[in-house]
Amino acid sequence: MGKLFIALASGLLVGTVWLLVCSTRVCIEKIITKLLVLLHPVKDSQNVSIPGPNWKSYDGQLLEKFLDGKARAQEWQHCYGPTYRIWSGTTPEIVITKPEDIRTFHSDSVSHNKARSSNAGWMFHQLLGECMGLINGARWTALRNEFAPTYTHSAVHEKISIISNQARDYVNNLDPQQRPSFSLRTADAVSRFPFFCTATSIYGPLSDHEKEALWAIAQQSLAIMGKYVLSGGIYRSGRLSRWVAPAAVRELNTFQTAWEEFNLEMYRTRREKGTVPIVELWRHMEEGLVTKDEALHTLSEIIFANLDVATGTLSWLVIFLALDENVQKQVREELSGGRAEDLCTSKNSLLAHCFLETLRLRPFTAFSIPESSPSNKVLGGFHVPANTSVVVSALCVNYNKEFWGKDSEEFRPSRFQSVKPLDLRYNLFSFGFGTRKCLGQHFGEVMMKLFVIYLLERYELSLTPAARADLNKVGRDNWVPIPEAEVVFTERKV
Ligand code: HEM
């Protein structure tokens, strides 16, 4: 009896303390929100403040934006309407969902600035803060000019046979045991292809040893992103991280050293053999045209951050094809008529529409990377001061029933047959809007289409029952939602 009483009493005490802590926390969050709203007034012409969720300790809505992006995009639009405000740390971000607001905001996109470190704090800055996608002005122009020649439309066309050979070899070695049928987690099956294909575009062909070393460094980078950046909190501050989490900082230093050494080695081993992008880049870095951080962070962006982006997109493309046997069959019929190299550049094929439909349904991020205009803007009726971070709710744009119809959440690639390309401009988030569009869009598209061409040539795709039952299950360790679904690959009898 006595023991029961003690257990009950201590349970009650713990519960009360917990309630107290929670309600204090909610109170503090409300007070901080009020202060932040006062500091950053955004109102409409009736003097009504822009709606949005309360600031949350310690990262605002930053982590939810990535880890629960799909659910939050829908929930926030439902609760706050088409234009609202969230917080990244304590920085306000205005979220827009309407095509007309996207057009208004991007009307001066040439002079837009990306937010420093994407408003994501110190640890993120150490990995990617100086990369092309996040710097501005003359520095951005210099860096973009450095990499652009490798990824223009014509440069990618010239590389098609190299990418095609890589795709065919990869698919032919998908199952080392060459079984007639096997199942794999889709992301595990596909991820090394876009990774090494993109790396080859920078370094030229890689030996097995170099591939292994690069893959290992990528895992270090992704681990830091998953464990620390996506935990937020103390990792937003360099001082706090060094003080409270020295092991994390050591891990970061180990990665940074390995990454610099790898690239130096790539430069040394390639400089005699002709011109691959790493050689030019390293020379320009030594001449002071780009800084070391700009070079290394952009290589990280292109090779490591993109591993998640490309793995996510390619996995979903394979999964959607596995889900829809009919579309799969039609794409295969389309393939039987032509050369892989020709089909991968067509914009009007069913394959091209499957790719677009995948980007529409599963944009790599539910919210675009924050950027600001140097001019005041009126968005959704609210007066947004110059230099305020604005993000596009990619998911809401891509699922907008007014434009895409009632079945906007379903995979139906044929819908693109009746959409004018010009209408897609502000109704589809795929490779970004305005001046800061994706550097690698042609490369990424060709790479993924070639992969699918060889995959469908060799295998029938279907989903495991578990995958069908829980198609939308995604991992939470990456900044891009990577699907968990397993696909069954069955050798075709031709
Ligand atoms: C299907 C695959 C890909 C998708 C869906 C994708 C998507 C995007 C998007 C949406 C942006 C703009 C982000 C923003 O709002 O700021 C972007 C930027 C960028 N992407 Fe990609 N990307 C893909 C593949 C690639 C590849 C293969 C490369 C490698 C060359 C690449 C390199 C970059 C770079 C460097 C930027 C920053 C551009 C700048 O700010 O000037 N991407 N990407």
Side-chain angles (χ1 to χ4, degrees):
M1 190 67 184
K3 274 190 187 156
L4 186 67
F5 177 76
I6 293 173
L8 272 175
S10 42
L12 205 69
L13 190 72
V14 171
T16 316
V17 171
W18 180 242
L19 255 176
L20 220 76
V21 169
C22 286
S23 51
T24 314
R25 183 174 159 163
V26 171
C27 275
I28 292 174
E29 287 175 348
K30 275 191 183 157
I31 293 167
I32 293 184
T33 307
K34 284 212 158 46
L35 286 173
L36 288 173
V37 168
L38 276 177
L39 267 175
H40 305 283
V42 175
K43 297 183 175 180
D44 68 8
S45 46
Q46 314 287 304
N47 215 24
V48 176
S49 201
I50 190 166
N54 278 348
W55 175 83
K56 256 175 134 176
S57 62
Y58 302 96
D59 301 276
Q61 279 72 36
L62 173 77
L63 302 181
E64 291 171 87
K65 220 173 43 165
F66 290 113
L67 295 176
D68 288 315
K70 193 168 178 231
R72 288 296 98 83
Q74 287 169 326
E75 179 196 318
W76 289 335
Q77 189 189 28
H78 178 73
C79 293
Y80 308 113
T83 317
Y84 57 93
R85 171 168 52 192
I86 56 174
W87 307 96
S88 210
T90 50
T91 307
E93 290 179 353
I94 307 299
V95 182
I96 55 177
T97 58
K98 292 267 180 207
E100 56 270 27
D101 285 331
I102 302 174
R103 190 179 50 231
T104 306
F105 178 63
H106 283 98
S107 60
D108 54 355
S109 86
V110 185
S111 50
H112 279 194
N113 282 320
K114 288 294 173 76
R116 181 174 159 77
S117 317
S118 218
N119 297 330
W122 179 82
M123 186 61 95
F124 182 84
H125 190 89
Q126 304 309 303
L127 293 179
L128 289 166
E130 300 292 323
C131 75
M132 182 195 308
L134 296 179
I135 60 170
N136 299 306
R139 300 303 320 148
W140 172 75
T141 310
L143 206 52
R144 180 99 186 188
N145 289 343
E146 186 71 43
F147 285 89
T150 309
Y151 298 107
T152 58
H153 202 262
S154 55
V156 171
H157 270 234
E158 279 170 26
K159 282 195 223 40
I160 283 183
S161 61
I162 300 175
I163 305 172
S164 180
N165 289 341
Q166 285 176 283
R168 197 180 35 234
D169 288 353
Y170 189 94
V171 168
N172 285 340
N173 292 307
L174 195 56
D175 181 36
Q177 300 160 54
Q178 305 289 321
R179 286 165 294 180
S181 182
F182 56 95
S183 63
L184 285 173
R185 180 175 169 263
T186 324
D188 293 336
V190 306
S191 64
R192 284 174 182 251
F193 168 66
F195 178 77
F196 287 120
C197 200
T198 309
T200 307
S201 73
I202 300 277
Y203 303 121
L206 292 148
S207 68
D208 286 349
H209 172 72
E210 288 167 342
K211 282 185 180 171
E212 235 171 78
L214 184 60
W215 185 259
I217 300 171
Q219 300 316 305
Q220 289 178 24
S221 169
L222 296 181
I224 294 168
M225 184 64 99
K227 279 193 289 187
Y228 309 126
V229 176
L230 292 179
S231 301
I234 55 160
Y235 303 112
R236 293 184 69 83
S237 148
R239 232 177 258 161
L240 266 180
S241 298
R242 283 190 201 95
W243 185 50
V244 183
V249 177
R250 274 198 299 279
E251 203 174 321
L252 172 70
N253 292 339
T254 306
F255 157 71
Q256 286 170 327
T257 309
W259 188 217
E260 185 176 342
E261 278 171 4
F262 179 86
N263 282 291
L264 180 60
E265 187 59 16
M266 289 293 104
Y267 166 64
R268 284 200 187 120
T269 49
R270 267 102 179 130
R271 69 184 153 186
E272 308 302 337
K273 293 183 192 158
T275 50
V276 280
I278 187 66
V279 174
E280 287 268 287
L281 177 68
W282 214 259
R283 279 204 186 116
H284 289 165
M285 193 187 84
E286 287 179 342
E287 288 163 17
L289 298 175
V290 295
T291 70
K292 197 202 288 180
D293 277 352
E294 284 169 354
L296 289 173
H297 287 195
T298 302
L299 290 167
S300 273
E301 175 182 33
I302 288 177
I303 300 174
F304 299 152
N306 246 324
L307 172 56
D308 280 350
V309 174
T311 300
T313 305
L314 189 52
S315 298
W316 283 117
L317 176 57
V318 171
I319 290 168
F320 284 134
L321 287 167
L323 185 69
D324 194 328
E325 281 170 25
N326 206 17
V327 170
Q328 196 184 136
K329 202 168 139 237
Q330 288 169 35
V331 175
R332 215 173 268 119
E333 279 163 15
E334 189 176 66
L335 303 183
S336 65
R339 283 180 351 117
E341 283 82 355
D342 297 329
L343 195 65
C344 74
T345 53
S346 162
K347 298 278 180 196
N348 280 321
S349 59
L350 178 58
L351 177 60
H353 293 160
C354 288
F355 179 66
L356 278 182
E357 184 70 338
T358 303
L359 293 178
R360 186 183 73 80
L361 286 174
R362 295 292 182 276
F364 81 84
T365 172
F367 297 90
S368 69
I369 314 293
E371 63 183 77
S372 63
S373 161
S375 317
N376 297 334
K377 296 269 174 181
V378 179
L379 301 172
F382 294 98
H383 298 267
V384 178
N387 305 317
T388 305
S389 288
V390 171
V391 302
V392 174
S393 173
L395 203 92
C396 290
V397 171
N398 289 4
Y399 284 23
N400 175 14
K401 289 196 167 39
E402 277 173 33
F403 183 82
W404 294 106
K406 278 192 196 128
D407 67 349
S408 71
E409 297 192 24
E410 276 160 39
F411 180 72
R412 186 171 62 81
S414 62
R415 70 175 79 241
F416 282 94
Q417 282 168 1
S418 51
V419 183
K420 292 194 210 101
L422 205 62
D423 289 343
L424 289 180
R425 200 156 166 202
Y426 299 113
N427 284 295
L428 176 70
F429 176 89
S430 57
F431 288 104
F433 302 106
T435 314
R436 304 297 290 264
K437 265 195 144 177
C438 175
L439 172 84
Q441 61 173 312
H442 306 303
F443 186 80
E445 184 170 347
V446 161
M447 179 168 72
M448 289 184 197
K449 285 184 189 163
L450 281 168
F451 181 88
V452 167
I453 289 172
Y454 291 115
L455 192 69
L456 292 185
E457 217 171 71
R458 179 148 181 185
Y459 295 109
E460 298 283 349
L461 309 177
S462 56
L463 291 174
T464 59
R468 273 185 188 274
D470 197 2
L471 190 69
N472 289 321
K473 190 171 176 197
V474 292
R476 289 177 64 89
D477 299 334
N478 308 70
W479 72 286
V480 172
I482 303 290
E484 290 291 328
E486 275 194 12
V487 163
V488 183
F489 301 84
T490 307
E491 190 106 35
R492 292 181 64 224
K493 295 182 184 67
V494 274

